[in-house]
Amino acid sequence: MNSFGEIFRLTTFGESHGPALGGIIDGMPAGLEVDIKAVQQELDRRRPGQSAIVTGRQENDRVTFLSGIFEGKTTGTPIGFTIANTDQHSKDYEEMRHIWRPSHADMTYTMKYGMRDHRGGGRASARETAARVVGGALARQVLSRHGITVAAYTSSVGPVTTPLPYSSMSLASAYDNDARCPDKDVAEEMIRLIKEVKKKGDTIGGTVTCVVSGVPAGLGEPLFDKLQSRLAAAMLSIPAAKGFDYGMGFDGCGSLGSEMADTFIPDGNGGITTATNHSGGIQGGISNGSDIYFRVAFKPVATLLRRVDTTDDTGRPTQLQARGRHDPCVLPRAVPIVEAMTAMVILDAFLKNRTTRL
Amino acid sequence: MNSFGEIFRLTTFGESHGPALGGIIDGMPAGLEVDIKAVQQELDRRRPGQSAIVTGRQENDRVTFLSGIFEGKTTGTPIGFTIANTDQHSKDYEEMRHIWRPSHADMTYTMKYGMRDHRGGGRASARETAARVVGGALARQVLSRHGITVAAYTSSVGPVTTPLPYSSMSLASAYDNDARCPDKDVAEEMIRLIKEVKKKGDTIGGTVTCVVSGVPAGLGEPLFDKLQSRLAAAMLSIPAAKGFDYGMGFDGCGSLGSEMADTFIPDGNGGITTATNHSGGIQGGISNGSDIYFRVAFKPVATLLRRVDTTDDTGRPTQLQARGRHDPCVLPRAVPIVEAMTAMVILDAFLKNRTTRL
Amino acid sequence: MNSFGEIFRLTTFGESHGPALGGIIDGMPAGLEVDIKAVQQELDRRRPGQSAIVTGRQENDRVTFLSGIFEGKTTGTPIGFTIANTDQHSKDYEEMRHIWRPSHADMTYTMKYGMRDHRGGGRASARETAARVVGGALARQVLSRHGITVAAYTSSVGPVTTPLPYSSMSLASAYDNDARCPDKDVAEEMIRLIKEVKKKGDTIGGTVTCVVSGVPAGLGEPLFDKLQSRLAAAMLSIPAAKGFDYGMGFDGCGSLGSEMADTFIPDGNGGITTATNHSGGIQGGISNGSDIYFRVAFKPVATLLRRVDTTDDTGRPTQLQARGRHDPCVLPRAVPIVEAMTAMVILDAFLKNRTTRL
Amino acid sequence: MNSFGEIFRLTTFGESHGPALGGIIDGMPAGLEVDIKAVQQELDRRRPGQSAIVTGRQENDRVTFLSGIFEGKTTGTPIGFTIANTDQHSKDYEEMRHIWRPSHADMTYTMKYGMRDHRGGGRASARETAARVVGGALARQVLSRHGITVAAYTSSVGPVTTPLPYSSMSLASAYDNDARCPDKDVAEEMIRLIKEVKKKGDTIGGTVTCVVSGVPAGLGEPLFDKLQSRLAAAMLSIPAAKGFDYGMGFDGCGSLGSEMADTFIPDGNGGITTATNHSGGIQGGISNGSDIYFRVAFKPVATLLRRVDTTDDTGRPTQLQARGRHDPCVLPRAVPIVEAMTAMVILDAFLKNRTTRL
């Protein structure tokens, strides 16, 4: 379904080539001042056409709020919003009416629904993530009032990976370069690689790392709504995402328990802390107060910018020349989307946790 | 919360040291004969005490069905069941009333709820997964009538990894050895490693791979209930799980799009198929009819069987000697749990998809 | 929350005085031709300004669909829509910023949310029901393809009640008169009464009766989603609704069981029918194939068109002169809203029931 | 489905003739002392066999808690419980395997599920309400700590109705007589009438009135989870319930707005109150701090204790002689069930409201 979250809940609609996309944010706490410019800034970060290494489409992505905000403040009623689709080249897609692009959702939508809007990927277009960014931007504004920050960055593109742990970088600087990697030197390598790949009409994958700081202990609802379950579901719902791990993650599988235990130690102020954070800030599905960090794997996008062999929907061999404008690498634009989904998960858990003890 | 699934929904209860655990299965289709022996067999596969490489606890794990099955068939009404807790050594845990085990849920439960049942991990004990296995076993029986099979196996333990792709192994043979890896030679290595680790009082992690075959195209509900989102949430809700990826997963991040596209080709019978299945059987969140396959990362379990340094819950340094009986490696017992959760996800999606077209 | 339904689900947003209201319809079956004119016709029936006995506000109520419909057919993806607010007289409400209208939601919204949009009732305005009518209109189009019809009418206004059972009237003719009562003579009396009440600046209540025909046996999900539970929740969510009963309802409370049993009799075609339908087409929460019928009680609307005594929000006595344009009797305009909510409940149950047996 | 509530959620299972029924309470706030005797007392009030005017079945109805309570306090984890079925006369029902009792759920369950447990009504038996009473009893214990009380009583049996408003009776005395009407003289008349009806092998209906006091302003979630919507759904889910109204309800339909407005007046302490409470404590779906009161209509139970004409499930005429033990009037035993459902609705709204403002 098209709703996300239990108490803070975003419901979205919209195809890439209809008049508009948008959504409804339900469960937004009442009485908060909304910084609409900040929302727009996050949309701008997701928007294509910003640099040499992303698609050249010029989507304006202006959000219009229709309800739920009165005299600058949230009223507690649902916040409806739209983002007009303005830079559509629907004709680019006409030949795809009967061709399914490999590794795209063209075939599966057709099989499931018996038909599809073939223009620009329809509902499966990554354009729908604009609505997520709006929801996430509002969630972040609530979180930041409670000292919780969410920061993501590109941690690898193809084989190019930053060797630095997140804690030794200034995550806020991720948006300072086109790769969105706060490790500047590595960012330059990433950019070089993406340009090279683009020149060949090819695409490349990578990983985003996300860090949530300032989370109070207690968020997450065992058994089935563990914080990592919600985060994983959120991340895997992003187009092109193929994997999720948190804390020690896949890399910890090869380790021993004695190497991975986060030993409790006195914190020097009469409290307790842990010597390490291999757990990634979550134990038993509940936040423990340490930083939450996780990775999301993104595949190389499936649309190549060169002629590829395929069949039409009757099985007849044909060739496909994508004429839309596409990203050679989804990573830089995935960063704000990962942040948005994360912010919504954390706020939802934060609100839910208010019902645990009276 | 303690419910899982939308239409086929399992709700569970129970701590490791209460009188019983159990659950309620809602949305089970009506009129199906239930093979109760097969349910018990799956429970036996999860049960501790079965081999030299798992915990020596002797849990009987007999399921008692209390409703929803009449004259051998499901009635469409909820299926309540209990599993008595019989082999409790509650006193093993008395000293842990004021000690939080490192990398366990002891601290986070206490922070969230203001208290916890400190015996045997309480609700956070992996013992709760017995109820999941019951739900999964019933789901499998429905799926198998529709030609859908779910098979998981241990694909790595520490650095020991089977090099074989799933398609070249007989997955049904996974349960033939204690490691639950259908690659016999590698299985022996895994067993050797686990025994060695156990001797040192240490623990080790690994990965489970799971394959779902016979899935019709069309399962999964974009945007936010994509099949991979549901699978990821299910897997990350399993105790000790740290990561999930499907299809090319994390390994595909370093690849080019041209290497990873699943090109459409004629299938020789007038239909269409794909030359490869890097997508892992899901595109745009919807199954495409190919095998679905994914991996789950499990950490080395946190309870070491040797004395470790820690603090009590007031921050005073102390030492902890786990006296319960624990697994040196969670992998073999994780296999039936992964299968159970997968079966429930797929059945839920299968039922939901019946509402897509009239 | 602002979502209604489980599988066919409407989520709405919008205040009476914002730029627009609207909604998202999720779970609409794919591949159905949409009759957009028919949707508009139902909106027009709800719209104010249509006759002498309803408010003189001229709301245009044009629905704009933004997604989910492609080349005239539903795609199975969410249908977003907006209805612009065009005839706002926001200044009519300025003085109400600090006055709570008696028996309105002004006080309770302020208490709950700490603030409110005071213009025209804000989110609590009956204007929000326009979005419900859009959802209901689409649901009806699906139902009608399956032979299910929904027809409501004004069955009483104040003490003026039609003595005819629904089965002896042509329900389709309800919209032929301003009272929306298919009993023409009684309709005239109702109109007379409403005009009289209006002249005095007063308001009056009444009941709507609704009949659903052609419903197959089997809809409704015991225990807690019984068909009557869903209908009751739907009806009580309509502004000004104060009660719901179905079948024999409140009137049957005084009767004996022997008078009220719906005895089974042969139907003459080798099947079974019942001699009566006191049950109202539902038994044990599940439809039995007979007509479903129920009543909804509506209070006299709270806004009088004359000066009334009240206090401001600090408790200081003042007088209130409503200057907006209001209905003297909500009944005629409630008829299409009752139909819309009913259609959505029935379609949701219809879709859910497809998962009961495989 | 078999779950009720969003944050405080009861899921139940069980037929009248299986080994046990029971449920799982999820979302119970942590750290509260549980008075288990008080739970049992409420079960005893629902239990049959308590007086001359209810069924003579002797159900023991002992609740066994299996989890979620540790050292006398709630842990925040799910509370599983069972109630054994001990006084089953399954053979009483054998002849009903192929006979559908008129106005019962026998036919509809068979139509929906393709089969049914024909013994004692199966899942449709009112016996399932025992699980609701357990959930309600725990909810009440939470509410009472916050000064909220729930009290119901039999307000009419057939034509015998108490003329007293609830505010002029001591509601706590309702359980002092077998009719459960705090108006003693009327209670005696009710008892006389029920005995008379019973002697004839007939049954009779009536109404329960319920009052919730001490509710803070702000509970209820517009638009679709208005407090009255939730209450109506809860009440209509009770077996034999046919209607619900609140505040002025159906009786207010004949009134003028000027008679029904709850005018604001100074409360003498610098605050505001209303001169009347025709609204029934809810405005715009949100509690306003006044008493919430509503009525529930119950039909005369369908099982007559005399021979009735019917058909078997192939349409062949036959006669049915109910041999189970049944209530001539459901009203007295409905009182604790109405209270239980009400308590769960109010607690759920109370918990949800904690997420409205930060």
Side-chain angles (χ1 to χ4, degrees), chain A residues 33-342:
Chain A
E33 270 182 60
V34 176
D35 180 345
I36 290 185
K37 269 191 201 162
V39 176
Q40 189 60 50
Q41 184 192 29
E42 300 201 31
L43 268 177
D44 290 347
R45 288 171 165 183
R46 189 213 72 92
R47 187 164 61 80
Q50 306 160 81
S51 78
I53 61 170
V54 298
T55 167
R57 281 199 308 280
Q58 289 298 335
E59 295 170 2
N60 206 9
D61 285 2
R62 285 275 131 201
V63 61
T64 305
F65 288 105
L66 300 172
S67 64
I69 302 171
F70 179 58
E71 300 182 341
K73 287 187 173 171
T74 59
T75 60
T77 64
I79 298 172
F81 64 90
T82 55
I83 299 168
N85 287 327
T86 52
D87 183 45
Q88 305 160 5
H89 292 207
S90 300
K91 286 190 188 146
D92 283 0
Y93 296 90
E94 186 54 34
E95 67 183 339
M96 284 183 213
R97 193 183 275 269
H98 294 291
I99 298 180
W100 295 331
R101 291 166 299 164
S103 294
H104 267 276
D106 297 346
M107 183 184 95
T108 54
Y109 268 68
T110 307
M111 303 291 262
K112 183 177 186 72
Y113 300 111
M115 64 176 296
R116 76 178 205 278
D117 179 349
H118 62 277
R119 301 164 306 166
R123 181 64 175 154
S125 164
R127 179 144 179 72
E128 57 87 358
T129 57
R132 305 181 187 219
V133 169
V134 175
L138 289 179
R140 283 177 94 145
Q141 295 189 14
V142 183
L143 292 177
S144 76
R145 247 155 264 199
H146 293 267
I148 304 171
T149 59
V150 176
Y153 62 94
T154 304
S155 45
S156 73
V157 171
V160 181
T161 307
T162 173
L164 300 176
Y166 76 82
S167 50
S168 69
M169 294 188 283
S170 164
L171 304 189
S173 70
Y175 288 103
D176 292 351
N177 61 63
D178 291 346
R180 274 137 187 205
C181 173
D183 178 341
K184 261 196 230 176
D185 298 339
V186 167
E188 275 171 39
E189 267 186 83
M190 289 172 170
I191 293 168
R192 229 175 355 253
L193 174 59
I194 296 172
K195 285 182 176 166
E196 202 177 292
V197 162
K198 186 185 177 186
K199 208 177 297 172
K200 297 185 202 151
D202 215 329
T203 63
I204 192 150
T207 55
V208 167
T209 294
C210 185
V211 183
V212 196
S213 300
V215 182
L219 307 197
E221 303 294 320
L223 286 183
F224 298 112
D225 294 316
K226 287 175 173 165
L227 203 49
Q228 68 268 37
S229 279
R230 289 292 187 92
L231 287 168
M235 296 308 133
L236 269 300
S237 79
I238 300 174
K242 301 295 287 188
F244 166 90
D245 65 357
Y246 78 105
M248 63 185 83
F250 276 95
D251 293 340
C253 293
S255 305
L256 296 169
S258 56
E259 299 163 339
M260 285 291 133
D262 293 325
T263 312
F264 287 110
I265 52 170
D267 70 357
N269 295 314
I272 305 176
T273 188
T274 55
T276 50
N277 182 17
H278 299 302
S279 295
I282 304 173
Q283 282 153 341
I286 300 169
S287 64
N288 68 4
S290 299
D291 284 350
I292 294 170
Y293 63 94
F294 57 85
R295 288 189 308 161
V296 190
F298 288 93
K299 68 173 183 179
V301 277
T303 302
L304 307 186
L305 291 170
R306 59 191 193 198
R307 187 166 294 274
V308 296
D309 291 319
T310 188
T311 69
D312 67 16
D313 58 12
T314 67
R316 212 163 35 102
T318 181
Q319 281 196 321
L320 178 69
Q321 171 66 61
R323 275 206 294 248
R325 292 147 298 164
H326 301 277
D327 287 296
C329 178
V330 84
L331 270 294
R333 292 182 56 211
V335 170
I337 302 167
V338 165
E339 289 178 341
M341 294 306 292
T342 302

Side-chain angles (χ1 to χ4, degrees), chain B residues 35-161:
Chain B
D35 181 345
I36 290 186
K37 269 190 199 162
V39 176
Q40 189 60 50
Q41 186 191 28
E42 299 200 33
L43 268 177
D44 291 346
R45 289 174 163 179
R46 190 215 70 94
R47 184 165 63 80
Q50 305 161 80
S51 80
I53 60 169
V54 298
T55 165
R57 281 200 309 279
Q58 288 299 336
E59 294 172 3
N60 206 11
D61 284 3
R62 285 276 130 202
V63 63
T64 304
F65 287 106
L66 299 172
S67 65
I69 302 173
F70 179 58
E71 299 181 341
K73 287 187 174 171
T74 58
T75 59
T77 62
I79 298 173
F81 64 90
T82 53
I83 298 168
N85 287 328
T86 54
D87 184 47
Q88 304 160 1
H89 291 209
S90 300
K91 288 191 185 147
D92 284 1
Y93 296 90
E94 186 53 34
E95 66 181 338
M96 284 184 213
R97 193 183 275 271
H98 294 293
I99 298 179
W100 295 331
R101 292 167 298 165
S103 292
H104 268 276
D106 298 345
M107 183 186 95
T108 54
Y109 268 67
T110 306
M111 303 291 262
K112 183 177 185 72
Y113 300 112
M115 62 175 298
R116 74 180 207 276
D117 179 348
H118 62 278
R119 300 164 307 165
R123 181 65 175 155
S125 166
R127 181 146 177 71
E128 58 83 359
T129 57
R132 306 181 185 217
V133 169
V134 174
L138 289 178
R140 283 178 94 146
Q141 296 189 15
V142 183
L143 293 177
S144 77
R145 248 154 262 198
H146 293 268
I148 303 171
T149 59
V150 176
Y153 61 95
T154 304
S155 45
S156 74
V157 172
V160 181
T161 307

Side-chain angles (χ1 to χ4, degrees), chain D residues 250-269:
Chain D
F250 276 95
D251 293 340
C253 293
S255 305
L256 295 170
S258 55
E259 298 162 338
M260 287 290 133
D262 294 323
T263 311
F264 288 110
I265 53 171
D267 71 357
N269 295 314

